[in-house]
Amino acid sequence: MAVDSSSTSKRVLISGASIAGPSLAYWLHRYGFDVTVVERSDAVRSGGYPIDVRGTALDVAERMGLLAKLQAAHIDTRKLTFVDANGAPIAVIPPEALSGDASGRNIELPRGALTTLLYELTQNGAIRYRFNDSIDTLEDDGASVSVRFKSGERGRFDIVVGADGLHSRTRALVFGPEQPFNRYLGRCFNLFSSPNGAGFSHEAIIYSEAGHAAGVYAVGDSDRLHAFLIFAADEPPFLSHLDIDQQRKRTSEVFAGGGWEVPRLVEAMQRADDLYFDTVSQIHMPRWSSGRVVLVGDAAYAPSFLSGQGTSLALVGAYVLAGELAAHPDPKAAFALYEQIVRPFVEANQELAIGGGGLLLPRTPEELDRRNKALAAGDFAADSGEYAAKRRQIHNSLKLPDYRHLLREVSG
Ligand SMILES: Cc1cc2nc3c(=O)[nH]c(=O)nc-3n(C[C@H](O)[C@H](O)[C@H](O)COP(=O)(O)OP(=O)(O)OC[C@H]3O[C@@H](n4cnc5c(N)ncnc54)[C@H](O)[C@@H]3O)c2cc1C
């Protein structure tokens, strides 16, 4: 059966319905494109860890009419405490001292709250969502792209966009295997939920030893915590990606004998049914498009969670890509301008991850000692410090182009 794409407007297929995908769908629809989004999960995934929307990305949210809703969903984390092996505080700092953004320019909300808001924004009867499906093959003949879906259905589109995350299948189909584009940052992480037995509230607690760190994140007064166990490893364990038992074993060995709450967290990790393991990696590509296929968000330029900027890059990239496609009938010209405008912003934000790692996970005893001394000396005590100022400048470093004159009167 063929997919209905009978509209005379340009037909765009977007793979991935998380942050970049629905944001792009929203804008493309407003410029009069005919949009289909394919998502391999059976729904927009609503759970998840806290994420940040900052700087220029807040301008995008405002233009989407989402700012007030994001502000209402703001988590309001009040402090980050770095503790020693006995749980005694080394330093207590305000979150904005790390994020670099004074109130109003940094919104932190559960990832699922943002994906749900974006999905709702695109429920206008015109944008089609195909859940439980994904692109199986695609063929770009220069004039259009023929797609065969896993479900067996077929479709023909003018443009295909990969918004399918760090391990993008669209990227693999067009540019080849992930490995040459995956810049491994020397760390692996486990993310899972665990009971909030200690009554943590509106805060994060972080404990570091040389080469590994453990922490918990209490969103509001929830009785569940977002817990993480992160460790340094010289070689990326790509081969163990698929083997959850091996990941659990490796993590337990690394954290054996750890101080603070580590034994309890390792136990919770062993039992967790929502364990999420991955390498801390960025995506670096020489080009984000090929022919009529283009990538956006993590698929093209994941900055890693150490930058805290993945969500913001996805929102900004989607806004500019849609605007350039509306402005230029030739997709190649649009893709080139999208890349020209967004790439310097992406590169500056990816660079932020490098410093972020040293603070969370010093790799050697000397680095750990330096970090603890800096924390104790109050180097990160306020959002007016050098560290915060540099981040703030980079978060805001792209001035958004104005595409308002291209908006069409469309339904929804
Ligand atoms: C542990 C962790 C903590 C993070 N913390 C932060 C933070 O504090 N701040 C921040 O800004 N960012 C953070 N991030 C990063 C942030 O989540 C991502 O950068 C952001 O979600 C990127 O959005 P995206 O839409 O490009 O990709 P994703 O959110 O990865 O979405 C990809 C979508 O594509 C779908 N998909 C995948 N494969 C296929 C396929 N073959 N076919 C169809 N659909 C497919 C997926 O199901 C998913 O819905 C964190 C990430 C992780 C893993």
Side-chain angles (χ1 to χ4, degrees):
M1 189 179 129
V3 175
D4 173 27
S5 49
S6 54
S7 164
T8 50
S9 54
K10 267 195 185 160
R11 298 149 306 172
V12 181
L13 174 67
I14 300 169
S15 173
S18 172
I19 292 161
S23 306
L24 182 68
Y26 168 82
W27 285 113
L28 286 176
H29 170 66
R30 294 211 55 199
Y31 298 128
F33 288 76
D34 177 80
V35 185
T36 303
V37 184
V38 59
E39 164 61 50
R40 73 172 170 196
S41 303
D42 55 9
V44 167
R45 288 183 298 172
S46 59
Y49 45 83
I51 48 138
D52 305 279
V53 182
R54 301 186 181 116
T56 303
L58 286 172
D59 299 333
V60 174
E62 190 167 19
R63 290 179 192 196
M64 296 172 91
L66 276 180
L67 196 54
K69 286 182 177 164
L70 296 193
Q71 279 161 343
H74 181 53
I75 282 172
D76 187 25
T77 299
R78 293 171 192 159
K79 58 178 182 176
L80 307 181
T81 306
F82 289 82
V83 295
D84 68 14
N86 300 315
I90 300 168
V92 182
I93 59 178
E96 53 277 13
L98 292 190
S99 66
D101 292 278
S103 60
R105 293 302 286 170
N106 182 23
I107 294 177
E108 189 184 30
L109 73 169
R111 184 175 182 277
L114 180 58
T115 54
T116 304
L117 280 174
L118 291 169
Y119 178 62
E120 284 169 3
L121 194 64
T122 54
Q123 294 309 292
N124 51 23
I127 298 170
R128 286 178 291 277
Y129 276 87
R130 298 171 57 87
F131 288 104
N132 263 322
D133 207 355
S134 58
I135 299 173
D136 190 22
T137 62
L138 51 80
E139 202 177 315
D140 180 351
D141 66 10
S144 65
V145 188
S146 303
V147 173
R148 194 180 72 214
F149 294 95
K150 286 253 163 74
S151 60
E153 293 191 25
R154 290 171 187 275
R156 186 174 284 277
F157 300 89
D158 297 298
I159 291 158
V160 172
V161 186
D164 40 6
L166 181 67
H167 305 298
S168 166
R169 173 161 173 82
T170 312
R171 187 183 59 228
L173 285 170
V174 176
F175 296 91
E178 176 175 321
Q179 215 142 338
F181 308 120
N182 182 310
R183 188 171 298 172
Y184 172 60
L185 298 186
R187 299 163 172 91
C188 302
F189 68 90
N190 297 271
L191 196 70
F192 52 98
S193 62
S194 97
N196 185 1
F200 295 123
S201 162
H202 292 273
E203 62 185 316
I205 299 106
I206 297 161
Y207 167 66
S208 308
E209 295 177 9
H212 43 282
V216 293
Y217 211 120
V219 173
D221 295 317
S222 171
D223 58 0
R224 302 291 295 173
L225 297 169
H226 296 282
F228 66 83
L229 294 167
I230 172 166
F231 62 88
D234 289 338
E235 290 300 318
F238 286 118
L239 294 177
S240 67
H241 255 183
L242 302 174
D243 185 342
I244 191 111
D245 292 331
Q246 217 182 314
Q247 291 155 17
R248 287 194 157 105
K249 184 165 173 289
R250 171 101 184 254
T251 307
S252 304
E253 285 165 5
V254 168
F255 283 87
W260 184 56
E261 293 282 319
V262 164
R264 260 188 292 280
L265 289 178
V266 169
E267 219 181 290
M269 182 272 301
Q270 290 284 3
R271 281 201 308 266
D273 57 11
D274 58 355
L275 178 61
Y276 177 52
F277 173 90
D278 210 336
T279 57
V280 181
S281 294
Q282 297 183 330
I283 295 295
H284 290 256
M285 303 190 69
R287 293 196 55 196
W288 299 338
S289 66
S290 170
R292 290 179 166 270
V293 182
V294 64
L295 304 174
V296 66
D298 270 13
Y301 39 74
S304 91
F305 75 86
L306 292 179
S307 75
Q309 279 294 88
T311 306
S312 294
L313 293 186
L315 286 165
V316 170
Y319 171 84
V320 176
L321 174 57
E324 293 304 326
L325 278 167
H328 301 280
D330 172 13
K332 278 195 186 136
F335 296 162
L337 281 158
Y338 153 60
E339 194 160 330
Q340 191 182 315
I341 295 165
V342 180
R343 192 178 272 278
F345 184 60
V346 160
E347 287 176 356
N349 280 284
Q350 285 185 320
E351 192 62 29
L352 291 176
I354 312 307
L359 186 64
L360 179 65
L361 185 74
R363 291 175 67 108
T364 62
E366 295 73 31
E367 264 181 44
L368 178 65
D369 191 48
R370 263 201 307 278
R371 188 215 59 181
N372 287 348
K373 282 189 176 132
L375 280 171
D379 287 6
F380 300 99
D383 71 351
S384 54
E386 199 183 314
Y387 183 87
K390 180 183 162 213
R391 298 180 91 80
R392 187 161 48 237
Q393 186 269 322
I394 290 171
H395 298 158
N396 288 284
S397 60
L398 178 67
K399 188 170 173 337
L400 289 178
D402 193 343
Y403 303 112
R404 264 174 296 192
H405 59 291
L406 299 164
L407 291 172
R408 301 250 186 103
E409 284 302 319
V410 288
S411 58

